[in-house]
Amino acid sequence: MGLVAVPQPYDFERSLDRFTFWGVDRANVWHDGGLHRVVHGREVRITPAETGVRVEPLDDEIEPVVAKLLGLELDLPPFYAFAAGDPVLADAARRFPGYRPPLAPDPFEALVSSITAQQVSLHSAFAARSRFIDRFGVSAEHAVAFPTRERVASATEVELTELGFSRRKAEYVLGIARADLDFDELSTLPDDEVKARLTALRGLGEWSADWFLARHLARPEAWPAGDLGLRKAVLAFYPEVTDVRAAGVRFHPFQNLSAHYLLAALRYP
């Protein structure tokens, strides 16, 4: 067991509640007060500690994955200073101190998750995602390793539709798994180039690319304006807004964290 330091304050349960709020996430499983995830073939248990989180087991391979999962790439103090100038964000920051949205550690996982969430409720998306993980992932004691790109590339369209995927979504997931694109290289590219490469793939539009920038790459200016939840939040808190995408400029250069805090404020009125 080891300790991963997290800048304080840190709200462990609120930050990670997206893994339970819309249903079961078989890759990130809550059990007996801790979050379980399979990292490099080993199931890791993460629990809150006074200055961060306890991680068992912990080594040099596991630590960066846990840090990514916990959203440690997101810098909260500058955002809080920025939020103080906006009454809505200031109230959200006051209500959710230490809220740090989690990130998808793996690029393929982030893209598949975005496809499962297209044009359905998040409850339905989580259910389909969990069936997919159970079918193609490798089980540990509590959690299941998210399926590898190589394993999914060898699957068939029928296998995915049997899990509840539409025929089109099954095609998209298989196409991404088999695509001639280095997903790891995307982290070295500017936002516009990342979006251009992703949207060139069938099934990935601007919404999916924006969420990839936000929830995998932690890009500070990512603004998923096409997201229905974010649109509801912006229009609820800023009724004068007529164009949600254009409204992103008021949150520059903290669009990513602004979006997550607005969504949290909408979820917990």
Side-chain angles (χ1 to χ4, degrees):
M1 179 184 295
L3 179 72
V4 174
V6 180
Q8 300 300 304
Y10 176 51
D11 188 338
F12 179 81
E13 292 192 8
R14 179 90 70 185
S15 295
L16 301 179
D17 75 344
R18 78 177 303 269
F19 298 132
T20 58
F21 190 86
W22 290 286
V24 174
D25 183 330
R26 295 291 292 130
N28 301 282
V29 175
W30 281 100
H31 176 75
D32 194 23
L35 182 70
H36 293 246
R37 181 180 173 92
V38 179
V39 180
H40 298 301
R42 290 175 289 172
E43 181 165 301
V44 174
R45 175 175 168 82
I46 307 170
T47 53
E50 186 173 345
T51 58
V53 295
R54 294 186 188 88
V55 183
E56 182 180 10
L58 180 65
D59 60 22
D60 291 343
E61 269 195 327
I62 290 172
E63 185 166 2
V65 178
V66 171
K68 181 83 169 179
L69 182 67
L70 300 182
L72 299 192
E73 297 170 30
L74 299 164
D75 195 4
L76 294 186
F79 167 68
Y80 286 157
F82 169 81
D86 181 292
V88 175
L89 288 180
D91 181 63
R94 177 190 59 79
R95 292 174 55 207
F96 311 122
Y99 170 61
R100 186 177 287 281
L103 303 174
D106 178 73
F108 179 63
E109 177 180 355
L111 293 173
V112 171
S113 297
S114 73
I115 289 175
T116 61
Q118 290 174 3
Q119 300 180 329
V120 296
S121 72
L122 285 174
H123 294 285
S124 297
F126 265 61
R129 182 178 184 272
S130 285
R131 289 192 296 269
F132 172 80
I133 294 168
D134 278 330
R135 174 64 180 82
F136 298 108
V138 177
S139 298
E141 183 179 0
H142 299 292
V144 181
F146 195 88
T148 65
R149 186 177 178 181
E150 294 74 20
R151 173 66 185 91
V152 176
S154 66
T156 66
E157 189 177 301
V158 171
E159 286 179 298
L160 268 68
T161 56
E162 287 176 346
L163 301 175
F165 283 64
S166 68
R167 184 168 177 269
R168 182 168 295 179
K169 285 187 179 181
E171 291 175 357
Y172 294 163
V173 169
L174 294 178
I176 289 170
R178 298 165 182 168
D180 184 20
L181 177 62
D182 183 347
F183 292 143
D184 292 322
E185 183 191 11
L186 296 175
S187 64
T188 69
L189 304 176
D191 291 3
D192 288 347
E193 180 63 20
V194 173
K195 291 182 71 169
R197 294 199 185 190
L198 290 180
T199 54
L201 298 177
R202 190 161 178 261
L204 297 179
E206 189 169 31
W207 177 84
S208 295
D210 283 336
W211 273 125
F212 184 86
L213 289 169
R215 284 191 171 152
H216 173 63
L217 296 182
R219 297 293 172 84
E221 297 177 26
W223 180 247
D227 184 77
L228 180 59
L230 182 59
R231 294 180 65 83
K232 288 181 178 179
V234 171
L235 296 176
F237 297 123
Y238 303 93
E240 73 280 6
V241 167
T242 56
D243 185 332
V244 173
R245 182 162 293 280
V249 298
R250 75 164 63 195
F251 306 112
H252 179 81
F254 297 101
Q255 289 95 321
N256 189 352
L257 280 168
S258 296
H260 281 96
Y261 272 73
L262 291 174
L263 287 167
L266 183 70
R267 192 187 313 163
Y268 300 104

